[in-house]
Amino acid sequence: MAITLNNGFKMPVVGLGVWRMEGKDVRDLIINSIKLGYRHFDCAADYKNEAEVGEALSEAFKTGLVKREDLFITTKLWNSDHGHVLEACKDSLKKLQLEYLDLYLVHFPVAVKHTGVGQTGSPLDKDGVLDIDTTISLETTWHAMEDLVSKGLVRSIGISNYDIFLTRDCLAYSKVKPAVNQIETHPYFQRDCLVKFCQKHGICVTAHTPLGGAAANTEWFGTVSCLDDPIFKALAEKYKKTVAQIVLRWGIQRDTVVIPKTSKFERLKENFEVFDFELAKEDMDQIKAIDRKYRTNQPAKFWGIDLYA
């Protein structure tokens, strides 16, 4: 099952996010996920595992497990490389052992002091606040992203963590429209206005943190997940599915792409088994009513500044 992007390319609606995956886990998870049917992988320079992902993909191609053209590979430009877009993209391609990317995203709408191509630093000033570079505009960064398309290095380009105003600006100054806006969205943080704005203007929304972060964000940010909500436990019983499957299905029925992250094989399988049922309208409405406007992913913890304030 795939969504057709505004440039005609198709993006599978369920992908595997590789944030916080390390070493041998990366190889095993990617090979196993391909065997289970996954064809979409969401990477980023800042996840610091592109090389390991590349090794796994290379093995999958060489053994005939899958062909390159059957996969949809996303990675992201880090904040410290906004002034070095071409070099950063080539660095990611080299690590991933790919000739082209299916999708390249601007990871956050902020440029920071350059720390070396692919180094993905988040330098802080003397006050412990993110050292933002005020000499590079998002428009300049976007035009460099557009050049990657004309060079054939990237099929689609997009944005990530952009609000309505920044997304509107990007639509205004772009020659190549953003194909995707990847944002945090889940039942406790539905962001219906932003999702509908993007979809109205032909931008596919990818939901990162589609399960509300679960254990990972609880550990890092002290946040709570919607997976413990009694409404979802009741729906899971009704549909004879797991709570996670109900939440992912809700995301798919909103016409968003979901990229759950897991390091457990059984969850990998579970998260992909979401195509054999459909939530009734009354249940979609019930979920819509539990929005808390609750962000679980909080980079301000590391940056000394709340960019969402």
Side-chain angles (χ1 to χ4, degrees):
M1 189 172 173
I3 282 181
T4 301
L5 302 178
N6 58 21
N7 54 13
F9 289 109
K10 293 187 183 300
M11 183 181 192
V13 297
V14 175
L16 176 66
V18 302
W19 181 50
R20 297 186 75 192
M21 291 186 189
E22 299 174 2
K24 186 175 181 294
D25 287 347
V26 176
R27 182 259 171 209
D28 292 347
L29 280 163
I30 287 179
I31 296 298
N32 285 330
S33 62
I34 291 172
K35 288 178 180 176
L36 287 170
Y38 283 82
R39 294 296 181 265
H40 174 187
F41 296 94
D42 184 80
C43 314
D46 188 54
Y47 300 165
K48 298 177 174 57
N49 57 11
E50 285 178 317
E52 290 82 0
V53 172
E55 287 293 328
L57 293 176
S58 177
E59 178 183 336
F61 300 148
K62 285 174 183 171
T63 58
L65 182 60
V66 72
K67 295 177 181 176
R68 169 65 185 99
E69 56 267 29
D70 295 331
L71 295 186
F72 191 100
I73 310 295
T74 300
T75 197
K76 308 179 192 78
L77 175 79
W78 187 241
N79 308 336
S80 55
D81 281 333
H82 276 224
H84 303 266
V85 173
L86 177 60
E87 300 97 312
C89 180
K90 285 183 174 179
D91 184 66
S92 287
L93 284 168
K94 183 178 179 181
K95 289 173 180 171
L96 291 166
Q97 301 185 43
L98 299 175
E99 292 183 0
Y100 69 90
L101 295 169
D102 294 280
L103 179 63
Y104 196 42
L105 302 176
V106 179
H107 202 149
F108 281 94
V110 61
V112 305
K113 183 180 177 183
H114 184 58
T115 55
V117 171
Q119 296 303 305
T120 66
S122 294
L124 306 180
D125 64 19
K126 60 182 173 54
D127 297 317
V129 174
L130 191 67
D131 196 358
I132 294 173
D133 187 338
T134 59
T135 68
I136 304 169
S137 71
L138 292 175
E139 181 174 355
T140 299
T141 300
W142 187 254
H143 291 320
M145 296 282 286
E146 291 174 327
D147 289 342
L148 300 176
V149 178
S150 59
K151 291 179 189 300
L153 298 175
V154 174
R155 286 185 166 178
S156 304
I157 51 176
I159 52 184
S160 184
N161 301 302
Y162 276 49
D163 63 16
I164 284 181
F165 303 112
L166 293 173
T167 303
R168 188 219 72 90
D169 278 0
C170 190
L171 285 166
Y173 56 62
S174 60
K175 298 190 201 77
V176 178
K177 301 297 180 191
V180 169
N181 187 9
Q182 184 178 126
I183 59 170
E184 177 181 347
T185 179
H186 47 78
Y188 279 0
F189 195 42
Q190 298 187 20
R191 310 178 83 180
D192 216 38
C193 291
L194 176 56
V195 170
K196 286 179 176 174
F197 178 84
C198 289
Q199 292 172 340
K200 176 182 178 180
H201 293 282
I203 302 171
C204 170
V205 172
T206 296
H208 75 66
T209 327
L211 299 173
N217 281 4
T218 299
E219 179 188 332
W220 277 35
F221 308 116
T223 50
V224 299
S225 169
C226 60
L227 297 183
D228 296 319
D229 195 295
I231 284 177
F232 284 112
K233 291 182 177 178
L235 289 173
E237 199 169 306
K238 173 182 176 180
Y239 287 93
K240 303 292 184 282
K241 290 289 182 178
T242 67
V243 170
Q245 286 171 331
I246 298 294
V247 174
L248 292 173
R249 184 68 208 183
W250 169 82
I252 291 168
Q253 286 181 219
R254 295 177 87 203
D255 294 322
T256 62
V257 171
V258 293
I259 47 170
K261 176 255 174 208
T262 184
S263 55
K264 296 181 175 66
F265 179 77
E266 61 272 19
R267 293 271 170 78
L268 199 65
K269 188 170 184 290
E270 173 189 321
N271 290 346
F272 202 69
E273 294 174 342
V274 290
F275 300 109
D276 60 348
F277 74 107
E278 189 168 317
L279 298 174
K281 182 182 183 301
E282 62 265 25
D283 294 326
M284 291 292 289
D285 290 343
Q286 189 181 6
I287 296 169
K288 187 172 185 177
I290 67 169
D291 188 10
R292 296 186 181 184
K293 297 181 169 49
Y294 181 75
R295 186 187 299 276
T296 68
N297 189 296
Q298 300 284 2
K301 176 180 177 180
F302 309 108
W303 293 348
I305 185 173
D306 185 359
L307 296 179
Y308 302 117

